[in-house]
Amino acid sequence: MVPKNRNNVPTPVDFTLISKALVIISGKWRLTIILLIGEDTFRFRQFREQLPSMSEKMLAGELKALVALDVLTRTVYAEVPPRVEYSLTKKGRLALPILRQLQQVGHLFN
Amino acid sequence: MVPKNRNNVPTPVDFTLISKALVIISGKWRLTIILLIGEDTFRFRQFREQLPSMSEKMLAGELKALVALDVLTRTVYAEVPPRVEYSLTKKGRLALPILRQLQQVGHLFN
């Protein structure tokens, strides 16, 4: 039975899309990292400052995963020492308004 | 540094609300169960029919968790055999439009 919305229009549940979305926000930190950086540009140190309870290794791993998922870009400037900056990709910015609303879901169940 | 949105208004990142939201949609199946039931009322059998790759034990566990989280209600009708029906709570229905949009996030990264 396909669920219908208020206007009785079937809103198909797409398991592939659900699992793709969940990969982006899965785990304890990914959604937090995405919402934290928002439209800004962050250096590793800034994430560390704002996420003191997250280990350096975990942060490096999650940033790497989010770059691989095309949510974040990682830009290295050939300076001494090299400067590394992260920001959301175009797709990441498009997803941001929806992901920000998840805090309202948290508020509902707080 | 507090992230700002396009109108330069700080959009605070609330770690508590994020983790509350993630509990609701965490794991492989919770978001799927919520989107599947939508505004409908489901019996256990209907979930089983629509989620054939989900074990009965896993489904029972996730439904129990979603009831405990006040996302789903479980109504037992004193019939022989007893009839059991699930539907979203008021909070669950309020969260539904936001959770449905997560499929768009999946689409972005598909």
Side-chain angles (χ1 to χ4, degrees):
Chain A
M1 182 169 69
V2 175
K4 296 187 192 62
N5 64 20
R6 225 141 300 167
N7 320 322
N8 236 349
V9 171
T11 52
V13 177
D14 186 315
F15 301 136
T16 312
L17 296 186
I18 289 173
S19 61
K20 290 275 177 187
L22 287 176
V23 168
I24 304 293
I25 56 174
S26 69
K28 190 177 165 189
W29 296 103
R30 287 186 189 176
L31 181 57
T32 299
I33 289 169
I34 293 166
L35 298 187
L36 203 58
I37 195 169
E39 285 97 352
D40 279 310
T41 296
F42 263 42
R43 298 177 66 173
F44 192 84
R45 173 177 46 75
Q46 287 169 275
F47 283 116
R48 291 283 286 149
E49 284 158 13
Q50 302 231 15
L51 302 169
S53 59
M54 189 180 188
S55 76
E56 190 159 340
K57 191 179 165 212
M58 172 68 90
L59 175 59
E62 290 298 75
L63 291 177
K64 196 173 172 190
L66 288 169
V67 170
L69 287 165
D70 197 20
V71 175
L72 286 179
T73 57
R74 180 175 186 271
T75 311
V76 182
Y77 295 90
E79 297 169 4
V80 180
R83 178 159 54 100
V84 178
E85 288 185 347
Y86 295 87
S87 51
L88 286 179
T89 58
K90 191 178 165 215
K91 288 182 192 175
R93 288 179 188 228
L94 287 172
L96 195 55
I98 295 171
L99 297 180
R100 275 187 175 141
Q101 288 186 65
L102 281 177
Q103 294 190 108
Q104 289 168 35
V105 171
H107 190 66
L108 275 169
F109 293 94
N110 198 9
Chain B
M1 182 171 65
V2 175
K4 295 189 192 59
N5 64 20
R6 225 141 303 168
N7 319 326
N8 235 353
V9 171
T11 51
V13 176
D14 187 314
F15 301 133
T16 313
L17 296 187
I18 289 173
S19 60
K20 290 274 177 188
L22 288 176
V23 168
I24 304 292
I25 56 174
S26 69
K28 187 176 166 190
W29 297 103
R30 286 186 189 174
L31 181 58
T32 300
I33 289 170
I34 293 168
L35 297 188
L36 204 57
I37 195 169
E39 284 98 351
D40 280 309
T41 295
F42 264 41
R43 299 178 66 171
F44 193 85
R45 174 178 44 77
Q46 287 169 274
F47 282 116
R48 291 284 284 149
E49 285 158 12
Q50 302 231 17
L51 301 169
S53 59
M54 188 178 188
S55 76
E56 191 160 338
K57 192 180 164 210
M58 171 68 89
L59 175 58
E62 290 298 76
L63 290 177
K64 195 173 171 190
L66 287 170
V67 169
L69 286 164
D70 197 21
V71 177
L72 286 179
T73 57
R74 180 176 188 270
T75 311
V76 183
Y77 296 90
E79 297 168 4
V80 181
R83 179 159 52 100
V84 178
E85 289 185 347
Y86 294 89
S87 49
L88 286 179
T89 59
K90 191 178 167 216
K91 287 182 192 175
R93 287 177 187 232
L94 287 172
L96 195 55
I98 295 172
L99 298 180
R100 276 186 174 142
Q101 288 185 66
L102 282 177
Q103 293 189 111
Q104 289 168 37
V105 172
H107 190 64
L108 276 169
F109 293 94
N110 198 9

